């Protein structure tokens, strides 16, 4: 993290897009990433971490600039570690803050992140860390935009469960292989698979599941090696199975979501169906309470893309989709 004055100085011209509002593909800007880092407090309610930066004399959420070749999700985890000393696992995407800095546009993405092991040591960038309940933190934060992001976190339902739905990366051309199920990834696809592994690692994935296609399995292999997690196959997630019985595939996704954070790699026809089914009411209409950065009436599914899905567990254990964040390219 750099210490220049432009690192984070939101102005009255700040624009905040919360999860669920329209998302734009903007021209290159100064990119940064951070999070509302939280842990369960003594009462069971969450408490959040704020850092004090002596160079700016401000209290803020942990955040920092994206390094060359680094994804925003990976930046958020790295910056949390550098500024607070704690490991972290990303959850739902909360908001994107945009504001002008020296004639350029700065874009800061925020997730909520559960704290792991660690301890704070004062350093040249942050000299104090405080764990506060959200109401106390709101009074301590220096910037209004940070308070708005914190409010988005505080208003979110809990507990949340995460599942990442991955479209397989780019594979050999259809028709060039006698067995379509055996089509492997091409070089570009293997690069995409490594970027997918970065995102799955940032989200703390503990289980990997694939449709029974070579291209799907190979998309998860870099994550498998990095996480030390095996890959299991489930035919229910193949395109033909999803289209034949979407209710069964949806039910299996919900079963997986109830356990450890899981990544499921599937195909281009099945994924839009699954996302829509999870977001729909009993009449097939997309529920207005599902926050998303894309239209859930026609969910996109680019090769190598990921849907980060967040579910709220009701007291009876039933899971309900509350947020669906589409990551078009995990390298971003």
């Amino acid at each position: 993290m750099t210490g220049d004055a432009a690192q984070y100085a939101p102005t009255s011209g700040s624009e905040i897009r919360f999860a669920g509002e329209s998302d734009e593909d903007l021209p290159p800007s100064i990119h940064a990433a951070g999070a509302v880092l939280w842990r369960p407090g003594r009462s069971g309610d969450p408490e959040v971490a704020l850092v004090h930066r002596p160079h700016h004399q401000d209290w803020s959420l942990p955040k920092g600039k994206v390094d060359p070749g680094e994804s925003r999700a990976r930046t958020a985890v790295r910056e949390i570690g550098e500024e607070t000393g704690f490991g972290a696992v990303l959850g739902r995407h909360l908001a994107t803050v945009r504001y002008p800095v020296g004639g350029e546009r700065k874009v800061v993405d925020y997730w909520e992140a559960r704290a792991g092991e660690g301890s704070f040591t004062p350093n040249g960038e942050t000299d104090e860390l405080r764990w506060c309940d959200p109401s106390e933190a709101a009074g301590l934060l220096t910037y209004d935009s940070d308070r708005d992001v914190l409010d988005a976190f505080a208003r979110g339902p809990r507990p949340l469960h995460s599942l990442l739905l991955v479209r397989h990366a780019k594979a050999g051309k259809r028709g060039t292989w006698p067995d379509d199920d055996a089509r492997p990834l091409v070089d570009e696809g293997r690069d995409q698979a490594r970027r997918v592994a970065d995102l799955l690692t940032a989200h703390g994935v503990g289980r990997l599941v694939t449709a029974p296609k070579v291209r799907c399995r190979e998309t998860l292999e870099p994550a498998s090696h990095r996480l030390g997690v095996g890959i299991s196959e489930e035919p229910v997630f193949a395109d033909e199975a999803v289209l034949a019985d979407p209710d069964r595939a949806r039910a299996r996704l919900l079963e997986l979501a109830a356990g450890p954070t899981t990544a499921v790699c599937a195909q281009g026809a099945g994924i839009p169906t699954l996302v829509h089914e999870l977001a729909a009411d009993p009449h097939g209409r997309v529920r207005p309470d599902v926050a998303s950065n894309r239209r859930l009436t026609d969910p996109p599914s680019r090769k190598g893309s990921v849907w980060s899905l967040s579910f709220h567990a009701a007291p009876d254990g039933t899971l309900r989709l509350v947020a669906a964040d589409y990551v078009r390219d995990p390298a971003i």
Side-chain angles (χ1 to χ4, degrees), residues 106-130:
K106 188 161 186 179
V107 182
V108 189
D109 279 283
Y110 289 92
W111 285 261
E112 62 174 66
R114 179 158 181 160
E117 297 296 321
S119 61
F120 176 70
T121 301
N123 56 73
E125 299 293 343
T126 54
D127 61 355
E128 189 174 350
L129 171 73
R130 291 190 190 177

Side-chain angles (χ1 to χ4, degrees), residues 299-321:
S301 183
R302 181 177 183 264
K303 289 178 182 176
S305 64
V306 181
W307 278 96
S308 177
L309 307 175
S310 299
F311 301 84
H312 174 51
D316 65 358
T318 302
L319 296 187
R320 180 181 178 89
L321 183 68

Side-chain angles (χ1 to χ4, degrees), residues 16-323:
I16 302 176
R17 291 185 182 273
F18 295 102
E21 298 181 345
S22 61
D23 184 53
E24 299 174 274
D25 293 320
L26 295 171
S29 307
I30 302 170
H31 291 296
V36 176
L37 181 67
W38 69 277
R39 68 185 184 186
R42 292 180 180 178
S43 67
D45 293 329
E47 55 184 18
V48 301
L50 306 186
V51 292
H52 183 262
R53 302 184 306 170
H55 290 303
H56 306 299
Q57 289 298 305
D58 62 12
W59 284 95
S60 69
L61 301 171
K63 73 190 83 55
K65 287 182 181 177
V66 175
D67 285 343
E70 187 177 50
S71 69
R72 298 178 202 179
R74 188 172 180 179
T75 296
V77 174
R78 175 180 58 76
E79 286 289 339
I80 289 168
E82 291 178 3
E83 293 196 349
T84 72
F86 286 84
V89 171
L90 299 187
R92 66 186 174 118
H93 185 267
L94 290 173
T96 302
V97 179
R98 303 183 176 105
Y99 55 91
V101 174
E104 296 185 272
R105 178 183 288 232
K106 188 161 186 179
V107 182
V108 189
D109 279 283
Y110 289 92
W111 285 261
E112 62 174 66
R114 179 158 181 160
E117 297 296 321
S119 61
F120 176 70
T121 301
N123 56 73
E125 299 293 343
T126 54
D127 61 355
E128 189 174 350
L129 171 73
R130 291 190 190 177
W131 289 98
C132 316
D133 66 60
S135 60
E136 180 187 357
L140 187 60
L141 283 167
T142 300
Y143 304 112
D144 287 341
S145 56
D146 273 3
R147 279 188 283 274
D148 290 336
V149 174
L150 177 63
D151 182 61
F153 166 81
R155 287 186 283 105
R158 282 183 182 70
L160 286 180
H161 297 257
S162 296
L163 183 140
L164 293 100
L165 191 53
V166 181
R167 167 79 189 275
H168 69 75
K170 188 172 182 179
K173 290 183 179 180
R174 190 185 300 272
T176 60
W177 289 82
D179 179 4
D180 182 66
D181 291 356
R183 277 194 293 139
L185 299 186
V186 295
D187 288 346
E188 182 183 346
R190 285 187 281 273
D191 288 340
Q192 289 176 318
R194 286 189 284 270
R195 298 198 292 270
V196 167
D198 274 350
L199 185 67
L200 303 192
T201 300
H203 281 270
V205 166
R207 177 166 54 188
L208 298 171
V209 177
T210 181
K213 313 290 180 181
V214 168
R215 56 193 179 275
C216 292
R217 170 173 284 274
E218 289 188 349
T219 299
L220 294 183
E221 283 179 351
S224 175
H225 296 318
R226 190 174 306 180
L227 296 166
V229 175
I231 304 171
S232 61
E233 289 190 359
E234 298 213 13
V236 69
F237 296 125
D239 267 356
E240 56 272 20
V242 173
L243 298 179
D245 194 348
D247 288 342
R248 181 174 173 232
R250 175 184 178 276
R252 181 57 183 145
L253 273 185
L254 289 172
E255 289 175 354
L256 291 171
T261 300
T262 299
V264 175
C265 188
Q267 299 168 261
I271 287 174
T273 299
L274 288 169
V275 173
H276 180 270
E277 289 291 316
L278 290 166
D281 65 18
H283 304 288
R285 297 185 294 261
V286 172
R287 293 184 284 110
D289 61 328
V290 181
S292 182
N293 63 345
R294 290 294 189 273
R295 286 174 44 187
L296 297 178
T297 52
D298 186 20
S301 183
R302 181 177 183 264
K303 289 178 182 176
S305 64
V306 181
W307 278 96
S308 177
L309 307 175
S310 299
F311 301 84
H312 174 51
D316 65 358
T318 302
L319 296 187
R320 180 181 178 89
L321 183 68
V322 296

